[in-house]
Amino acid sequence: MIRKKLRECKCLTLKLLRLKDNSHSIALGFTVGLLINFVPSFGIGPFISTACAKMIKGNSFAGLVGGISLIWAFPFFFYLNLVVGYLFYPIDVIDPSIDVGLQLGKAFFIGMFINLPIFGILTYFIMNSIVRKYRETMLTYVQKKWNL
């Protein structure tokens, strides 16, 4: 099972590195796809990733790969949104009622709107430089060294 998942990861990496598109489009699609994991999408994240990447003129396959690459980390991103939102909007837990749920929701959305641009800018510049400078080197490495 682990071998199968590693093989799928290798195939997606190879397909991403072999895309015949410019580095900006690939990085933009991947970034938008990755950022969908910060938003609760209730299982349709890969479809949203592909559509959003296509809408902003990014590579749709890179959006799909970005969307499914860290789909397993959604609980971490959810918690990160809450923590960052709590820093800017502290929650008062005096009366446990519906008000606490609304305060948690507000903290989550504040954290999400802060995390999206920060992680988006970082991911875009890292992915753009990787694709632009190291695409051929990484493609050769993945093809020859990953024996699965």
Side-chain angles (χ1 to χ4, degrees):
M1 171 129 165
I2 293 173
R3 190 172 180 86
K4 181 180 177 185
K5 291 296 178 189
L6 287 174
R7 184 163 176 77
E8 289 174 3
C9 179
K10 177 184 177 182
C11 287
L12 282 176
T13 305
L14 282 172
K15 287 180 182 180
L16 183 65
L17 292 173
R18 288 179 179 164
L19 287 174
K20 301 287 185 206
D21 211 347
N22 60 13
S23 62
H24 169 73
S25 178
I26 293 171
L28 191 62
F30 186 85
T31 302
V32 168
L34 187 80
L35 291 180
I36 295 300
N37 292 319
F38 280 93
V39 180
S41 58
F42 306 108
I44 59 170
F47 300 113
I48 296 172
S49 300
T50 306
C52 287
K54 191 77 163 167
M55 276 193 313
I56 61 167
K57 307 241 188 303
N59 190 294
S60 57
F61 183 76
L64 176 68
V65 172
I68 62 174
S69 64
L70 289 178
I71 201 166
W72 56 270
F74 173 74
F76 170 73
F77 294 142
F78 190 90
Y79 181 69
L80 184 67
N81 288 341
L82 280 176
V83 168
V84 170
Y86 179 73
L87 291 174
F88 290 95
Y89 183 77
I91 298 171
D92 298 329
V93 186
I94 297 170
D95 182 26
S97 63
I98 270 191
D99 191 41
V100 173
L102 293 174
Q103 289 179 1
L104 277 172
K106 190 180 277 188
F108 173 80
F109 279 106
I110 289 170
M112 183 180 70
F113 287 122
I114 292 170
N115 286 334
L116 282 174
I118 292 171
F119 281 95
I121 291 168
L122 286 173
T123 304
Y124 172 78
F125 284 117
I126 290 170
M127 192 65 186
N128 193 21
S129 66
I130 286 173
V131 171
R132 191 172 0 103
K133 294 178 185 175
Y134 304 111
R135 183 189 294 194
E136 288 81 19
T137 307
M138 288 177 60
L139 189 58
T140 305
Y141 177 79
V142 170
Q143 285 176 336
K144 292 185 179 179
K145 301 293 184 186
W146 276 13
N147 294 325
L148 298 176

